[in-house]
Amino acid sequence: MSPTTTETFDVIIVGCGPTGALLSANLCRLRVNHAILERDPDITTDPRGIALDEDGIRIAQGVGIYEALFKDVGKSMGFFQFIQGGCGLDVRPFLQFDYNTIEGGTGHIGFMCHKQPAMEKHLRSKIDKRYGTLKSHSTVTAISEDADYVYVDYKHNNGEEYRIRGKFLVGADGKTGFVRKKFRYEAVWVALNWHITPPTPDTHPNFPLWNLGYTPEQVYDLYFPREFNFICDPARPSVCGRFGRTEDRLWRFEFVVKPGEDGQKMASPEETQKLIFPYLMHRGSRYGLSQDVPFPKDCIDFGGQGIASGFRDAISLAWRLKVAVRPGFTRHEALLAGWAAERKQQLERSLASTIENGNFCNEPSRIKAFMRNWYLWTCQLIPSWKHDLQLGARREGMTKYDYAPGMPFMPEYLGGKSFPQVFSAPIDGPAPPIPTFTDDTIFAPNKTGIFQIVALLDSIDQFRSARADISHIQQPESLLILDPAEATYIIHGEVPSVRDTPALLGKEIPSENIIRVLGGDEYVAAGHTAAALEKQFPRPEPLYYDPNRIRKDLGNDKVYVIVRWDRFVFAACRNAVELERAVSSLESTLEGVEGGEMRMKI
């Protein structure tokens, strides 16, 4: 007999790992009533996922954990190095991608390595109990549905069984969870997390490198390089590198289980040590010694497996769920088909990058690998070509969707492009001690619109006319879709004086939605103020930062932009007439999604 239904929610999330917690945090921001079922009693201590790309950093920033990311969760991954296999980890790479730079369009470094338990802790802290109910100790036992609801049965660790219902169910419970098993998700791979404790003269007095003057920290750097290494060994392609904060001393080694191998056996300590410890054995000749020098095994704590992040899925799904739970909305399949179509293109882009990296690692011909390495070495003699190679996946620019029916944007108005982000500061004040970004104002916590209007202005003198244009547009039927009063005004030009701003705007004009673009020099200077030094925030260097990136990507003729919750452009408009058309198309676009096709006013 099934348990009695006890509670009703708009959305039920199964799993409160990073993706589930992030989806919950976004639904809280959107004021969607939901529950999260998590089988574990608390956050796992196993650091599974370790890498977050710049889109993921931006999405995490969007729920308010940017400062925590760099102070408590992780740091920049720096360089991705491609090295030959069988030569140790300290060989010269034949290719490297530089992800220290801020040139991908998000305002962030290319990748950061993080400690997942810390990430989960900060994401869960953003679950607003007014809208999100986290039910820990809850193991899902059954899922069913009728015409109106999906029903989820779960068992609490106290032995009691419960049933809740919701309009939508989202599986975020990982590859071993109930929802994934229902859809037969499988993958065979091994990812090991090691905690490293450097040897010292006291703990390992006979370690040979002490007599050569090496310190414990230098030994750690020798055996576990700072860079992330892709090991291009045809016999066993692998990847390894540090993750988490520097002081955490965590190291990941990851490899794919080859066809015909037993995954459980390959994940055993005996087999993994056979694969990994040769990379931690240095030839004695390197140090002028007669015997090879292994890193002490008793300085390593073993464990862990890895996961991938679903942050993009979470943010793009969250606003669609907000639309889907509106009273009277019925064409849910068409709405989510648009999400699936965009998601497919995102996955194809990510897969193309993965394949490019994989091709470097998996080349079976040593002759072809030798020719490739010399070709890449030659290309890097030309600085501009070298920089282009070091961009890695960012060479292709920010994500842009190829329009297909059902996608909610206006392709004729540059819709479907990622909206760039740059550093910003208040129009009437100095740059803050912790870096702030344009997204922080566009999607401020007090705003409710799924879509936001952004005015791109060359000077503060253009503010009044832009404000008049926006105030005159006809409001959508629902201010939950777009509220013109929430519009953000971004000033790209120089502001005459921060002190003079109130006089230029007028006393009746609130300034919280008016910001100015921050240049690289002011960004650096802001990090040296007394307030910034007191915060002790590890501010990323603005390498290759472009304060004009929004203009560069959208064009200097664009004045008004409608931006979706997931930071994609709905429409980029040259004037008030185009803006009026785009705003009037919002409701019809969503209605068009209901009908299975887009209907736009042109």
Side-chain angles (χ1 to χ4, degrees):
M1 181 176 177
S2 300
T4 303
T5 301
T6 57
E7 296 174 282
T8 300
F9 300 91
D10 286 331
V11 177
I12 299 171
I13 303 169
V14 179
C16 198
T19 301
L22 179 73
L23 176 58
S24 175
N26 274 277
L27 291 177
C28 289
R29 289 281 310 277
L30 292 166
R31 297 172 172 83
V32 175
N33 181 35
H34 65 282
I36 315 103
L37 299 177
E38 171 56 51
R39 66 184 176 186
D40 291 329
D42 205 348
I43 296 171
T44 178
T45 58
D46 177 24
R48 294 160 291 171
I50 65 166
L52 193 65
D53 69 9
E54 60 185 301
D55 286 334
I57 299 172
R58 182 183 189 180
I59 293 167
Q61 167 212 331
V63 297
I65 66 168
Y66 173 71
E67 181 177 357
L69 281 182
F70 287 92
K71 291 182 74 172
D72 187 49
V73 176
K75 59 183 177 59
S76 171
M77 293 186 79
F79 288 93
F80 284 10
Q81 296 194 151
F82 294 84
I83 63 175
Q84 290 180 289
C87 302
L89 300 179
D90 59 339
V91 297
R92 182 177 179 180
F94 62 83
L95 177 66
Q96 60 182 10
F97 298 157
D98 186 359
Y99 287 120
N100 287 305
T101 66
I102 300 177
E103 54 186 325
T106 65
H108 295 298
I109 55 175
F111 274 89
M112 74 175 302
C113 52
H114 66 85
K115 186 168 63 173
Q116 183 171 320
M119 172 78 77
E120 288 188 29
K121 177 187 71 174
H122 290 287
L123 288 173
R124 289 192 185 190
S125 74
K126 298 302 177 180
I127 298 176
D128 188 333
K129 294 181 180 179
R130 293 175 297 172
Y131 307 105
T133 302
L134 174 58
K135 297 177 180 291
S136 300
H137 302 274
S138 302
T139 301
V140 175
T141 58
I143 298 173
S144 58
E145 60 182 307
D146 59 23
D148 299 314
Y149 292 100
V150 57
Y151 299 85
V152 180
D153 297 351
Y154 67 93
K155 186 174 184 179
H156 194 268
N157 73 336
N158 62 10
E160 295 291 329
E161 295 187 2
Y162 301 90
R163 167 177 283 189
I164 59 176
R165 68 181 185 179
K167 297 177 181 177
F168 295 92
L169 171 69
V170 180
D173 49 346
K175 71 185 185 70
T176 61
F178 185 94
V179 178
R180 294 289 185 90
K181 286 180 180 177
K182 189 177 180 70
F183 292 95
R184 299 182 182 179
Y185 175 88
E186 293 185 26
V188 181
W189 51 276
V190 174
L192 300 167
N193 300 322
W194 289 1
H195 177 259
I196 311 299
T197 302
T200 69
D202 292 331
T203 61
H204 296 78
N206 296 322
F207 188 66
L209 298 189
W210 305 142
N211 295 330
L212 301 179
Y214 286 92
T215 66
E217 191 66 27
Q218 289 172 329
V219 169
Y220 175 63
D221 288 339
L222 283 171
Y223 284 88
F224 303 95
R226 299 175 185 273
E227 294 77 19
F228 226 77
N229 285 309
F230 289 80
I231 303 170
C232 303
D233 185 352
R236 180 73 67 177
S238 308
V239 61
C240 63
R242 302 182 189 181
F243 68 98
R245 301 175 303 171
T246 301
E247 57 267 32
D248 294 329
R249 301 196 186 281
L250 298 172
W251 193 67
R252 163 70 63 90
F253 195 99
E254 189 170 340
F255 61 90
V256 176
V257 176
K258 296 190 292 187
E261 293 180 334
D262 184 327
Q264 293 296 327
K265 180 181 178 181
M266 294 305 299
S268 68
E270 295 77 16
E271 293 299 322
T272 55
Q273 289 182 40
K274 289 179 184 177
L275 289 172
I276 301 172
F277 272 102
Y279 289 102
L280 302 180
M281 174 73 76
H282 287 187
R283 293 184 181 277
S285 57
R286 171 178 176 177
Y287 305 105
L289 302 174
S290 59
Q291 293 184 334
D292 293 340
V293 185
F295 187 82
K297 291 185 179 181
D298 59 348
C299 291
I300 300 173
D301 292 329
F302 303 90
Q305 65 172 355
I307 64 170
S309 172
F311 280 19
R312 294 182 187 87
D313 287 346
I315 192 172
S316 59
L317 185 60
W319 73 264
R320 287 173 167 91
L321 288 172
K322 173 69 172 180
V323 173
V325 300
R326 290 197 307 172
F329 193 90
T330 59
R331 306 287 185 169
H332 307 112
E333 290 187 7
L335 174 70
L336 296 176
W339 170 74
E342 291 184 351
R343 182 175 185 266
K344 182 175 182 292
Q345 292 189 21
Q346 283 269 19
L347 290 174
E348 288 173 348
R349 176 185 171 96
S350 297
L351 180 61
S353 175
T354 301
I355 290 174
E356 180 183 23
N357 294 346
N359 286 338
F360 287 127
C361 293
N362 298 332
E363 174 55 61
S365 170
R366 297 191 180 277
I367 295 177
K368 289 183 178 180
F370 176 81
M371 295 175 64
R372 173 204 62 200
N373 295 355
W374 272 100
Y375 169 75
L376 291 171
W377 180 82
T378 303
C379 288
Q380 293 175 76
L381 295 176
I382 302 174
S384 61
W385 291 9
K386 179 179 180 179
H387 178 69
D388 189 59
L389 285 171
Q390 288 184 342
L391 283 174
R394 293 186 288 180
R395 288 194 302 272
E396 304 301 323
M398 301 185 78
T399 299
K400 181 183 183 302
Y401 294 133
D402 295 325
Y403 175 74
M407 292 183 177
F409 58 83
M410 300 180 71
E412 64 272 37
Y413 287 160
L414 288 184
K417 293 174 64 75
S418 293
F419 185 70
Q421 177 178 234
V422 294
F423 298 122
S424 67
I427 191 66
D428 56 356
I434 303 296
T436 55
F437 302 83
T438 45
D439 278 6
D440 297 334
T441 302
I442 298 170
F443 296 99
N446 62 311
K447 296 184 179 181
T448 60
I450 297 172
F451 297 84
Q452 292 290 330
I453 297 176
V454 179
L456 306 176
L457 310 178
D458 292 324
S459 71
I460 199 170
D461 297 332
Q462 298 175 346
F463 166 74
R464 289 185 177 275
S465 62
R467 184 167 180 261
D469 286 345
I470 292 173
S471 65
H472 291 149
I473 64 174
Q474 184 176 356
Q475 295 185 357
E477 295 178 14
S478 171
L479 295 182
L480 295 177
I481 300 299
L482 180 145
D483 184 353
E486 294 181 345
T488 300
Y489 303 84
I490 300 178
I491 311 298
H492 281 77
E494 293 288 332
V495 176
S497 171
V498 169
R499 294 179 180 178
D500 296 336
T501 298
L504 294 170
L505 294 176
K507 294 182 180 180
E508 77 285 1
I509 305 297
S511 60
E512 61 265 21
N513 286 344
I514 313 170
I515 54 178
R516 57 192 178 88
V517 171
L518 208 62
D521 291 342
E522 187 177 359
Y523 168 85
V524 172
H528 296 299
T529 62
L533 294 174
E534 183 179 354
K535 290 282 187 179
Q536 296 185 332
F537 178 75
R539 179 181 293 248
E541 293 294 324
L543 301 174
Y544 291 95
Y545 166 65
D546 183 359
N548 295 311
R549 183 61 187 258
I550 300 176
R551 293 285 200 194
K552 179 180 178 181
D553 278 24
L554 300 183
N556 290 324
D557 61 335
K558 301 302 184 291
V559 180
Y560 303 110
V561 187
I562 300 177
V563 186
R564 298 183 343 193
W565 182 265
D566 54 1
R567 281 55 169 175
F568 278 86
V569 173
F570 174 80
C573 309
R574 294 172 295 180
N575 50 51
V577 174
E578 291 185 351
L579 176 63
E580 181 72 43
R581 290 175 179 169
V583 171
S584 66
S585 293
L586 279 172
E587 287 289 348
S588 63
T589 295
L590 294 177
E591 291 172 2
V593 171
E594 288 189 58
E597 61 183 19
M598 303 286 280
R599 297 196 300 272
M600 298 182 178
K601 299 178 182 179
I602 301 175

